[in-house]
Amino acid sequence: MATIQTRTVLEALARLQHATNLELHAALESQLPELSLTSLHRITARLLERGEIGAVPTDARQAVLDTRPETHDHFVCTHCGGIVDVTLPASALDAIQEQLGTHLAEDGLVIRGRCAQCRAKPEE
Ligand SMILES: [Zn+2]
Ligand SMILES: [Zn+2]
């Protein structure tokens, strides 16, 4: 039973790419109506621990789970919180590192901005 649930959770996250536990829970409602948010938290925590999924380093209060466990770069919309994967050249990190001196920059850069959908909408 737990394995079927886990597989369904992985599939849902693969569809969403990036999602909080709350978003994932809403997406699974029709497939796993008996799955509580607490159980989902437990499943995703285990998947994170095993390195089967990742987490996006955002400033958001809610952890954002990532279907890709390996370190990669992200664009985060500061307006709607939308997240997309981006691949920045290694030279971008090098340029940042040059500015940092002895402070150490890490892979998995997060670029903030306004996404296409939000740009298309009039300013609120
Ligand atoms: Zn947006
Ligand atoms: Zn990602």
Side-chain angles (χ1 to χ4, degrees):
M1 191 58 198
T3 36
I4 293 167
Q5 281 192 341
T6 302
R7 203 174 54 219
T8 312
V9 167
L10 278 171
E11 282 166 5
L13 185 57
R15 272 198 308 276
L16 296 167
Q17 304 280 304
H18 308 97
T20 61
N21 275 303
L22 215 57
E23 288 166 340
L24 205 51
H25 191 250
L28 286 162
E29 204 161 17
S30 59
Q31 285 171 285
L32 298 171
E34 77 284 7
L35 182 71
S36 69
L37 189 55
T38 312
S39 305
L40 178 63
H41 268 282
R42 211 173 306 137
I43 290 170
T44 55
R46 201 175 333 120
L47 288 169
L48 264 174
E49 215 177 84
R50 284 200 223 129
E52 290 185 51
I53 60 172
V56 187
T58 74
D59 304 332
R61 254 171 302 166
Q62 285 257 347
V64 180
L65 305 167
D66 196 325
T67 185
R68 291 172 64 190
E70 77 280 9
T71 304
H72 55 278
D73 307 318
H74 289 101
F75 171 81
V76 178
C77 177
T78 52
H79 200 65
C80 70
I83 297 170
V84 288
D85 287 346
V86 288
T87 306
L88 300 169
S91 58
L93 188 62
D94 291 344
I96 292 166
Q97 186 59 61
E98 220 163 276
Q99 295 291 315
L100 290 175
T102 50
H103 302 301
L104 182 64
E106 281 179 352
D107 274 348
L109 298 173
V110 177
I111 308 297
R112 288 172 181 79
R114 187 174 276 249
C115 77
Q117 278 119 296
C118 289
R119 290 185 63 199
K121 274 185 258 167
E123 293 279 339
E124 274 154 35

